[in-house]
Amino acid sequence: MAGRIVVGVDGSEPSQKALRWAAGQAALTGDTLHAVIGWEYPASWSAAPGVPPDFEPEHLAHQILEESLTEALAPDVAAAVTRTVVGGNPAQALIDQAEGASLLVVGDRGHAGFKAAVLGSVSTRVAQHAPCPVVVVRGEGAAD
């Protein structure tokens, strides 16, 4: 019986690598692929210099998710991916979306600075709290 693989996406190269790995695993197992991006306003949002007043972080999250799928996957594979954008803590969003999943896949690190505050890398937290097995796809190494 096919299950569901949830993969965290934040637009970073490690999350792209995790997305490709998860798609390969889904092809092997027959599982469906569910790409999730979480976003939240940073605590100092109102004081952030240079942020336009009409900035929409949810729109940015949708854009990052779509661009990530387009860049990382073949068009036919990307078309079959379920997409979810969650407003809230990215780690908690992945943990919640992984309920009932057969696997949760994340990259080993994500964006730093402002993008981390909005989107962020969450591998440590999901590895500790996910309701299903977790794969953390590591960056490039000698074997890559």
Side-chain angles (χ1 to χ4, degrees), residues 45-125:
W45 182 259
S46 61
V51 176
D54 62 345
F55 178 69
E56 296 279 342
E58 183 173 3
H59 176 74
L60 176 61
H62 278 280
Q63 181 180 346
I64 289 169
L65 182 57
E66 289 303 322
E67 288 174 2
S68 295
L69 291 168
T70 299
E71 291 172 18
L73 305 177
D76 59 324
V77 175
V81 175
T82 302
R83 297 152 168 83
T84 301
V85 175
V86 178
N89 179 275
Q92 191 61 52
L94 286 169
I95 292 165
D96 292 345
Q97 293 294 315
E99 189 67 41
S102 53
L103 192 62
L104 173 57
V105 181
V106 293
D108 64 344
R109 64 189 180 284
H111 285 291
F114 177 74
K115 283 191 175 181
V118 176
L119 303 169
S121 175
V122 297
S123 58
T124 301
R125 182 153 177 227

